[in-house]
Amino acid sequence: MQEQETYVRNEARATLRYTRISARKVKIVADLIRGKHVDEALAIVKFTPKASSEIIEKLLKSAIANAENNHDMKHENLYVAEIYANQGPTLKRIRPAAKGSAVRIRKRTSHITIVLRDDK
């Protein structure tokens, strides 16, 4: 019987739930930084003129802090392994419209998750 060594990859994650922005808008910026080194990802997010950039930047910094403080990972070795935005609950509001009718307004929310791993 041969013993197999399994290498457990160290990963750190940060999750932001119930954010008041649609998942569709978040995915645009998320696709830009997926697979990039954390310093490069921070630079991309900082200079991307999108509504979700500020939210993702803050969440990315939180994931980096989690990696350094909770998992003893080095900042130089970190990269964005996974980033995804799932749809959260939708807040339904009503706006009055012509002839006594009403129009439904959907205020969408999302759950954003970032997973960082060592590149070694």
Side-chain angles (χ1 to χ4, degrees), residues 39-57:
D39 291 329
E40 187 181 352
L42 278 171
I44 290 169
V45 168
K46 191 170 185 71
F47 296 108
T48 303
K50 291 287 184 184
S52 62
S53 294
E54 194 176 326
I55 296 165
I56 291 179
E57 180 182 5

Side-chain angles (χ1 to χ4, degrees), residues 32-70:
L32 294 175
I33 66 169
R34 188 176 289 115
K36 302 272 196 299
H37 188 270
V38 288
D39 291 329
E40 187 181 352
L42 278 171
I44 290 169
V45 168
K46 191 170 185 71
F47 296 108
T48 303
K50 291 287 184 184
S52 62
S53 294
E54 194 176 326
I55 296 165
I56 291 179
E57 180 182 5
K58 196 170 181 181
L59 188 61
L60 184 57
K61 287 179 180 177
S62 175
I64 293 168
N66 288 344
E68 291 174 343
N69 296 321
N70 301 341

Side-chain angles (χ1 to χ4, degrees), residues 1-119:
M1 195 88 164
Q2 210 175 9
E3 285 185 32
Q4 290 183 349
E5 286 186 34
T6 56
Y7 177 69
V8 178
R9 207 162 231 205
N10 212 3
E11 69 178 27
R13 65 177 58 224
T15 305
L16 179 61
R17 304 190 70 209
Y18 305 103
T19 313
R20 268 289 293 119
I21 189 167
S22 71
R24 183 177 177 178
K25 291 178 183 177
V26 175
K27 287 176 184 179
I28 294 168
V29 179
D31 291 341
L32 294 175
I33 66 169
R34 188 176 289 115
K36 302 272 196 299
H37 188 270
V38 288
D39 291 329
E40 187 181 352
L42 278 171
I44 290 169
V45 168
K46 191 170 185 71
F47 296 108
T48 303
K50 291 287 184 184
S52 62
S53 294
E54 194 176 326
I55 296 165
I56 291 179
E57 180 182 5
K58 196 170 181 181
L59 188 61
L60 184 57
K61 287 179 180 177
S62 175
I64 293 168
N66 288 344
E68 291 174 343
N69 296 321
N70 301 341
H71 300 288
D72 297 325
M73 299 161 82
K74 300 272 189 230
H75 178 87
E76 302 82 38
N77 302 332
L78 295 176
Y79 73 97
V80 181
E82 297 173 35
I83 177 168
Y84 50 90
N86 298 325
Q87 188 173 340
T90 302
L91 305 172
K92 295 180 177 101
R93 301 292 180 259
I94 292 175
R95 180 173 187 268
K99 298 181 182 176
S101 63
V103 175
R104 178 167 279 177
I105 296 174
R106 291 179 298 278
K107 298 187 176 210
R108 303 193 186 268
T109 61
S110 59
H111 307 311
I112 309 167
T113 304
I114 297 180
V115 179
L116 303 180
R117 289 196 184 112
D118 271 335
D119 60 359

